[in-house]
């Protein structure tokens, strides 16, 4: 079952997906990082085990090679335990308990055939290939009329929510625009209306001028510690070019984006001994034409602290590291 339930008080939607509880790793206590690695022979994401995943929807593989066989560089298939899928038996909602079918998609993007590889250690060209696959799947999912918004994410490390250690990202195609995206769209639209410019372009310009929160930059991307960082060492990676949605990233930008993604993940790895990491790409809803004021970006958060009751109870965080300090720790001038 996959359905969406709405809290009538806050207006927040929750995806309920009971099939996902069948995953072998749910509800277990986090494993300490000294836990032994999974044997690649048993890893469903390793080459040779393609039959233990749903059929691939895309793979970068030598021309003429059979789908769902080894030889691929990046491989995409539907999640075996989807959070979003159609629900034929959904009960109708009521005034007090609104609900709807969680129509949509949920895909796994395996970054590399190498069980030990990670985006922080792969070559920039290999990371670029993953980001190119992101764009392809972003466009393909956005073309589905049932999907209102596409969320690309990385969970790295068990404590970040990753259920399998073999490096992979996930794509969620959801039938509504999630609350945080709605907030960002409203804020960006308001700023544009009042100031006549894109808020993200304005932030990039101001940060580059001041420098105190610029961690790295290259010709096409800027990496900053955001002024109101919610979490210690939170980082945003923004394209210099104004683009509402990730689907608009051009071929010439992919290398620069890959360089910055790899740099940020590599710095976390060096500084915090391979911590759990979450990243997500915020993009305009599908059919980006209605949201010309938005500017897509990636937000990256190393999971160095736990959320306590204050955070859970208010959705407001207490950040113990200033973004200016984070910049001094993570920053480099070798890339700028
Ligand atoms: Zn593997
Ligand atoms: Zn912009
Ligand atoms: Zn954002």
């Amino acid at each position: 079952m996959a359905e969406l339930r709405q809290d009538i008080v806050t207006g927040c939607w929750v995806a309920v997906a009971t099939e996902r509880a069948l995953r072998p790793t749910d509800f277990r206590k986090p494993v300490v990082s000294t836990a032994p690695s999974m044997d690649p022979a048993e890893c469903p994401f390793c080459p040779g085990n393609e039959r233990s995943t749903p059929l691939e929807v895309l793979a970068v593989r030598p021309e003429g090679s059979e789908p769902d066989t080894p030889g691929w560089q990046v491989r995409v298939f539907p999640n075996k335990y989807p959070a979003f899928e159609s629900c034929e038996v959904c009960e109708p909602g009521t005034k007090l308990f609104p609900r709807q079918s969680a129509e949509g998609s949920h895909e796994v993007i395996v970054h590399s055939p190498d069980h030990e590889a990670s985006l922080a250690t792969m070559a920039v060209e290999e990371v670029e290939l993953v980001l190119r696959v992101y764009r392809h799947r972003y466009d393909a999912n956005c073309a589905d009329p049932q999907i209102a918004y596409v969320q690309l994410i990385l969970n790295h490390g068990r404590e970040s929510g990753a259920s399998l250690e073999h490096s992979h990202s996930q794509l969620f195609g959801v039938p509504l625009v999630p609350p945080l995206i709605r907030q960002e769209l409203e804020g960006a639209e308001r700023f544009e209306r009042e100031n006549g410019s894109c808020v993200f372009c304005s932030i990039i310009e101001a940060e580059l001028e001041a420098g105190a929160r610029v961690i790295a930059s290259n010709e096409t991307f800027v990496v900053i510690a955001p002024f109101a960082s919610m979490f210690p060492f939170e980082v945003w990676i923004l394209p210099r070019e104004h683009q509402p949605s990730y689907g608009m990233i051009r071929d010439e930008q992919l290398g620069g984006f890959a360089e910055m993604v790899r740099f940020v993940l590599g710095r976390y790895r060096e500084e915090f001994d391979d911590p759990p990491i979450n990243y997500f790409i915020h993009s305009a809803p599908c059919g980006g034409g209605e949201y010309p004021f938005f500017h897509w970006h990636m937000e990256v958060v190393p999971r160095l602290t736990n959320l306590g009751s204050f955070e859970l109870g208010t959705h407001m965080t207490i950040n113990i590291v200033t973004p200016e300090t984070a910049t001094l720790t993570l920053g480099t001038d070798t890339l700028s």
Side-chain angles (χ1 to χ4, degrees):
M1 177 184 94
E3 68 172 17
L4 290 166
R5 295 187 177 195
Q6 189 182 30
D7 181 322
I8 192 74
V9 182
T10 63
C12 285
W13 288 93
V14 178
V16 184
T18 50
E19 299 289 309
R20 285 179 68 70
L22 299 174
R23 294 185 304 167
T25 50
D26 282 324
F27 303 129
R28 275 199 213 145
K29 280 196 180 147
V31 181
V32 286
S33 46
T34 52
S37 292
M38 178 184 238
D39 180 0
E42 290 169 19
C43 171
F45 295 173
C46 268
N49 295 340
E50 288 81 2
R51 67 195 174 287
S52 43
T53 72
L55 298 181
E56 68 192 36
V57 292
L58 174 78
V60 181
R61 54 167 64 257
E63 219 170 308
S65 73
E66 285 291 307
D68 302 302
T69 61
W72 48 271
Q73 282 176 275
V74 180
R75 184 166 179 263
V76 187
F77 44 85
N79 194 302
K80 200 169 179 178
Y81 307 105
F84 294 92
E85 62 175 349
S86 64
C87 168
E88 286 101 36
V89 293
C90 275
E91 293 174 51
T94 65
K95 187 176 170 189
L96 199 54
F97 302 118
R99 65 169 130 202
Q100 67 177 67
S101 170
E103 306 281 356
S105 62
H106 186 176
E107 298 179 350
V108 175
I109 300 159
V110 180
H111 301 152
S112 160
D114 180 357
H115 188 80
E116 306 293 336
S118 86
L119 293 178
T121 58
M122 286 158 57
V124 175
E125 297 71 36
E126 294 172 318
V127 178
E128 181 179 344
L129 193 57
V130 172
L131 300 175
R132 188 182 294 273
V133 167
Y134 277 12
R135 181 180 64 188
H136 189 283
R137 295 314 301 158
Y138 181 93
D139 287 343
N141 279 275
C142 256
D144 180 341
Q146 283 184 331
I147 292 175
Y149 179 77
V150 169
Q151 183 66 65
L152 283 154
I153 65 116
L154 168 80
N155 294 328
H156 170 78
R158 182 65 59 78
E159 296 92 336
S160 75
S163 55
L164 283 166
E165 66 191 13
H166 193 131
S167 187
H168 65 284
S169 309
Q170 296 176 69
L171 177 150
F172 297 81
V174 294
L176 49 77
V177 180
L180 181 56
I181 314 307
R182 235 173 240 291
Q183 269 182 12
E184 288 197 4
L185 289 166
E186 283 166 17
E189 185 177 27
R190 191 172 55 242
F191 188 92
E192 172 110 18
R193 199 172 52 239
E194 290 171 0
N195 302 280
S197 58
C198 162
V199 65
F200 293 99
C201 286
S202 304
I203 289 172
I204 292 170
E205 197 185 324
E207 293 291 12
L208 284 174
E209 201 177 308
R213 288 181 293 268
V214 179
I215 292 170
S217 64
N218 60 20
E219 258 178 47
T220 44
F221 283 80
V222 177
V223 180
I224 62 165
F227 171 69
S229 294
M230 289 182 72
F231 305 100
F233 302 99
E234 174 182 343
V235 154
W236 291 0
I237 305 178
L238 301 123
R240 287 179 188 259
E241 186 174 324
H242 179 79
Q243 284 170 332
S245 90
Y246 185 71
M248 298 168 83
I249 190 172
R250 290 178 296 105
D251 284 350
E252 306 80 70
Q253 293 171 280
L254 285 168
F257 188 31
E259 183 185 34
M260 293 290 108
V261 169
R262 187 178 179 281
F263 168 74
V264 169
L265 300 182
R267 288 295 297 122
Y268 288 152
R269 192 183 165 88
E270 287 159 15
E271 205 63 42
F272 308 115
D273 191 20
D274 197 17
I277 294 167
N278 294 114
Y279 76 48
F280 31 90
I281 293 178
H282 282 159
S283 184
C286 297
E290 296 164 64
Y291 307 93
F293 48 82
F294 201 66
H295 189 129
W296 76 265
H297 54 276
M298 175 184 275
E299 301 189 18
V300 197
V301 180
R303 297 289 292 276
L304 305 170
T305 52
N306 285 321
L307 294 183
S309 294
F310 178 74
E311 286 82 1
L312 287 173
T314 59
H315 286 192
M316 182 175 163
T317 60
I318 301 167
N319 188 350
I320 54 172
V321 180
T322 68
E324 293 77 21
T325 302
T327 304
L328 290 175
T329 306
L330 298 173
T332 175
D333 39 26
T334 58
L335 286 165
S336 18

